[in-house]
Amino acid sequence: MTDLHELDATDQAALLRSREVSSVELTGHHLERAERLGPELGAFITLTADRALAAAEQADRRLAEDDPAPLLGVPTAIKDLTSTAGVGTTMGSALMRSNVPTVDAHVVTLMHRAGLVSLGKTNTPEFGLSSYTDNDVVGPARTPWDTSRTAGGSSGGAAAAVAAGLVPLAQGSDGGGSIRIPASCCGVVGLKPSRGRVSAGPVGSEWSGLAVDGPLARTVRDAAALLDVLAHPMPGDPRHLPAPSIPFSTWAAREPGRLRIARWSDPYLPGVSSSPESVEAWQEASRTLQALGHDVVEVPNPFPPELEPQFNRVWSSGIAAAPIPEEALELLQPNTRYWLLRGREVTGAELAAAMQFLESTTREVLVAMHEFDAWLTPTLALVPPAVDWFHETGDPADAHRRELEFTPFTAVYNMAGVPAASLPLHVTAPTADRSALPVGVMLAGRPGEDGPLVSLCAQLEAATPQPARLP
């Protein structure tokens, strides 16, 4: 008999609507797993069991009234970067241990309205700055496939929780790959929506245009269902896409038609190369797409390496602007201090020039690549490294170099503002010195065309023999 946590969110929701299980039962089942397995994985910073069970009771009342909300009563989790009223939100920093927001982020409000039941706040690196999850609050997040290896970041706790069946789907955020990186490391689906698709309000800022909230899930249809919950323009949004005319869940059930897909596997950064495992996963996906009738065309990587230093100026300026007292700097992790101090060296003119360069350069790429409906690359250049690999030298500049070697594909899509998704279509063979590990492939689409991308991802997922989702 299939255990409840082995079902995806869509199937769990069907059980709830048929009254075969209650939300209280479903939530209790997942809470038990989160309490038992979560600490070893570093999945959660805070569990909110009492709030979750109260929300589940409310969901059961709505279910009894035949409320049609598709994900009503399904367990989920919120990333600890995301403001949640009345719940500790540390942002992965020891400096923020006592931070309890009084306002919900819009994504939290929308998830609550949809009847999703949050079990708590998932692990993230300090202020979400790195592509691996580790901090001084609860320590590292680990992939359930091999707990000696990183879950990736910055939504590492969310991805680990979904992969291990602690929740069937979770909210994450992505400013340079922070949904897709951990999705690849943990063998789940990670979808970064288009710029402006999901509101960062009411107190968040979209000043750089890089970051956006989105789903981590076990299946494409679940990711689409959560995006349906999140993708609503909200009052005050400085940049937003209109509400979609077709639900993303509908796109997930729709054939995409024959598409023209560009592919490349060489990173845009000089001196960085893709591992054989990453290329193998990418080749397998290419062959499947061709067998589905798509026109898959090999092209050179269209993004120039000059983007990387300009991205760094924007990225570091964000943390440099944070109101962190001078006397508190020594309490920050070395990686955080590294980025903060780099950001303080960036002048206003340099920041403006960097933002202009990102926009104009990615605009040129989008125009040059407009003949293609989608782009296919590896998600990462490496399989999930050991938990301590990034900081084993103690030099944060070296940690940054290793991050570039690890994830040279994801950030360009944040710069361009396009939708992109990592799909868990490949698992390496185990060897004498390592377990089988998941390897993601990444598809990206045109700006604002999240629906067609979801359709293509669902088609590719259905055509690929699926590895075990619960390692």
Side-chain angles (χ1 to χ4, degrees), residues 307-383:
L307 283 167
E308 195 267 335
Q310 304 303 327
F311 175 86
N312 287 343
R313 288 190 173 95
V314 177
W315 193 250
S316 60
S317 295
I319 184 61
I324 299 174
E326 195 69 26
E327 62 272 16
L329 293 186
E330 290 304 314
L331 300 177
L332 299 175
Q333 289 204 307
N335 180 65
T336 306
R337 288 199 304 275
Y338 169 80
W339 284 109
L340 186 149
L341 295 175
R342 283 191 66 171
R344 287 183 174 180
E345 296 174 356
V346 179
T347 67
E350 288 172 336
L351 175 59
M355 294 179 71
Q356 291 168 3
F357 184 86
L358 296 189
E359 181 175 324
S360 62
T361 303
T362 56
R363 186 195 303 270
E364 291 173 3
V365 172
L366 292 172
V367 170
M369 297 290 287
H370 191 69
E371 67 177 288
F372 296 103
D373 302 289
W375 308 336
L376 174 71
T377 71
T379 304
L380 301 173
L382 302 175
V383 298

Side-chain angles (χ1 to χ4, degrees), residues 75-110:
T76 189
I78 307 297
K79 186 175 178 179
D80 204 42
L81 285 183
T82 305
S83 181
T84 308
V87 178
T89 301
T90 72
M91 300 185 180
S93 177
L95 290 178
M96 304 288 286
R97 285 185 191 273
S98 61
N99 179 50
V100 181
T102 58
V103 176
D104 279 333
H106 283 325
V107 292
V108 175
T109 298
L110 291 167

Side-chain angles (χ1 to χ4, degrees), residues 46-74:
T46 304
L47 280 173
T48 54
D50 290 343
R51 285 173 63 109
L53 291 170
E57 290 175 356
Q58 183 181 30
D60 282 331
R61 289 192 290 271
R62 289 173 60 180
L63 285 161
E65 297 169 356
D66 294 321
D67 188 316
L71 295 175
L72 177 58
V74 173

Side-chain angles (χ1 to χ4, degrees), residues 263 276-292 296 376 424-429 439-441 460 463-465 467:
R263 73 166 202 156
E277 296 90 345
S278 296
V279 172
E280 182 181 0
W282 170 79
Q283 292 281 26
E284 287 178 358
S286 299
R287 289 191 290 268
T288 302
L289 288 167
Q290 288 174 322
L292 288 167
V296 181
L376 174 71
L425 306 182
H426 182 81
V427 175
T428 67
V439 179
V441 297
L460 181 57
T464 304

Side-chain angles (χ1 to χ4, degrees), residues 126-207:
E126 191 165 46
F127 302 118
L129 287 173
S130 63
S131 59
Y132 57 95
T133 297
D134 200 353
N135 56 49
D136 293 331
V137 182
V138 297
R142 305 168 184 271
T143 176
W145 293 77
D146 180 344
T147 55
S148 72
R149 294 174 180 265
T150 182
S154 63
S155 305
V162 172
L166 312 187
V167 290
L169 76 182
Q171 170 263 348
S173 56
D174 190 317
S178 289
I179 287 173
R180 293 157 288 151
I181 294 164
S184 181
C185 289
C186 294
V188 299
V189 176
L191 173 59
K192 181 198 84 68
S194 292
R195 179 177 296 147
R197 178 64 71 195
V198 178
S199 174
V203 294
S205 172
E206 300 164 280
W207 72 276

Side-chain angles (χ1 to χ4, degrees), residues 16-32:
L16 289 165
R17 286 193 299 274
S18 68
R19 310 293 195 271
E20 294 179 59
V21 67
S22 70
S23 181
V24 168
E25 291 171 309
L26 189 63
T27 299
H29 178 86
H30 285 85
L31 275 171
E32 186 278 329

Side-chain angles (χ1 to χ4, degrees), residues 266-273 301 303-305 307-309 404-405 407-408:
D266 291 329
Y268 79 113
L269 300 174
V272 177
S273 58
N301 192 323
F303 293 97
L307 283 167
E308 195 267 335
L404 296 178
E405 292 177 359
T407 176

